[in-house]
Amino acid sequence: MIVAQVLRDVIIGHALTTWYKSVESLCSSRFDKRSGFSMDECIKIPDDFKGYPISQFCIPKHYEDDLECVIIPKGFVLDRTERLARDIFQNIDLTKPTAALCVLKGGYQFFNDLIHFLKQLNANTNRSCQLSIDFIRLKSYSDDQSTGTVRVIGGDDLSNLRGKNVLIVEDMIDTGRTMTKLLSVLEQYKPHTVNVASLLVKRTSRSVGYRPDYIGFEVPDHFLIGYALDYNEYFRDLNHIAILSSKAKEKYSSANIS
């Protein structure tokens, strides 16, 4: 009886210790106490995050009065992009060539930096993948609102995607309707695999629930500009990702710039 009691206590104690360590590990991996950002499948910027004052960054003079704050500095974007490139590279099916598909215009800066890091991995590790580049343009925004419809306004011949690994590179997933539409278009070309990398995913009640395979940052439901993200074609020349002010929305609205 005594031996059985001791064994039971040891087993229960070990189970509790294992459970505690697993919970502790889970919590530490999903929350960065220093930044307040949640760390799970991506870096999650909380809704109450106040951002960084624009006075601490190099902002083009013509935009200084148009921004509420910088929410993601360029250096942070680049570090996160480098890690995404490593994750993508580790998961690539090397038996097939890979076609990287950039969604223009907003995705070009993220696409350029992501491809740069993938090419570095291609050249400097003992693994490599044959990588090609293609482009498509879609339109789903008018001013600061997603229209709910997707209009294809440009793009190359996509028939060369047949049998390849396709990596779609997007700047931001908002409602998810645009990407859902693009994925349905690509099905007819019969690619080997399709994965989506998005720098940003917006937390919004308008979302259809779509989540890309690789996510840089999950962000609050603000209208973000910079790092090639635009508002009526303005702010693509801003290095950092920032929140657009209400005054600037009116200033650069289609009604005022047409």
Side-chain angles (χ1 to χ4, degrees), residues 33-242:
K33 294 180 181 178
R34 293 171 295 179
S35 67
F37 295 166
S38 176
M39 307 278 288
D40 193 355
E41 60 177 338
C42 61
I43 296 176
K44 298 181 181 179
I45 300 178
D47 291 336
D48 59 354
F49 180 60
K50 302 301 183 183
Y52 307 99
I54 63 172
S55 60
Q56 303 303 310
F57 298 89
C58 293
I59 303 295
K61 191 73 176 176
H62 49 278
Y63 291 148
E64 285 183 348
D65 297 328
D66 300 325
L67 312 177
E68 288 188 6
C69 64
V70 170
I71 192 169
I72 311 177
K74 181 180 179 180
F76 196 3
V77 173
L78 291 177
D79 284 351
R80 180 63 182 144
T81 302
E82 185 175 15
R83 177 53 194 257
L84 288 178
R86 190 175 79 176
D87 292 343
I88 292 167
F89 193 76
Q90 289 175 344
N91 294 330
I92 287 176
D93 181 358
L94 300 180
T95 65
K96 302 287 184 180
T98 296
L101 181 62
C102 177
V103 179
L104 295 172
K105 295 183 184 176
Y108 82 83
Q109 187 66 65
F110 176 48
F111 182 80
N112 180 68
D113 292 330
L114 185 67
I115 293 300
H116 168 72
F117 289 124
L118 286 172
K119 288 168 66 177
Q120 283 190 329
L121 291 166
N122 230 0
N124 298 307
T125 65
N126 59 2
R127 304 175 77 244
S128 67
C129 67
Q130 186 178 12
L131 186 64
S132 61
I133 293 173
D134 212 338
F135 301 89
I136 194 169
R137 285 187 65 188
L138 303 173
K139 184 73 172 179
S140 65
Y141 269 84
S142 176
D143 290 338
D144 64 338
Q145 297 296 317
S146 179
T147 63
T149 61
V150 176
R151 185 161 55 100
V152 179
I153 59 175
D156 297 329
D157 180 11
L158 300 178
S159 61
N160 62 351
L161 299 179
R162 182 181 296 271
K164 295 182 178 180
N165 302 311
V166 175
L167 175 65
I168 304 171
V169 182
E170 173 70 289
D171 57 349
M172 179 165 55
I173 301 296
D174 190 337
T175 65
R177 293 188 182 94
T178 302
M179 186 53 62
T180 302
K181 173 65 175 178
L182 178 56
L183 291 173
S184 67
V185 170
L186 292 181
E187 286 180 3
Q188 63 184 295
Y189 298 101
K190 301 188 184 304
H192 178 60
T193 61
V194 178
N195 286 282
V196 178
S198 182
L199 176 62
L200 306 175
V201 170
K202 186 178 289 188
R203 283 191 304 276
T204 172
S205 60
R206 302 182 303 277
S207 173
V208 299
Y210 171 77
R211 300 285 288 184
D213 304 281
Y214 301 96
I215 304 171
F217 303 88
E218 185 181 282
V219 295
D221 192 7
H222 301 301
F223 197 87
L224 304 180
I225 40 79
Y227 192 71
L229 298 167
D230 78 300
Y231 178 69
N232 288 333
E233 297 302 324
Y234 291 89
F235 301 99
R236 294 195 194 276
D237 54 337
L238 177 64
N239 284 331
H240 313 288
I241 298 176

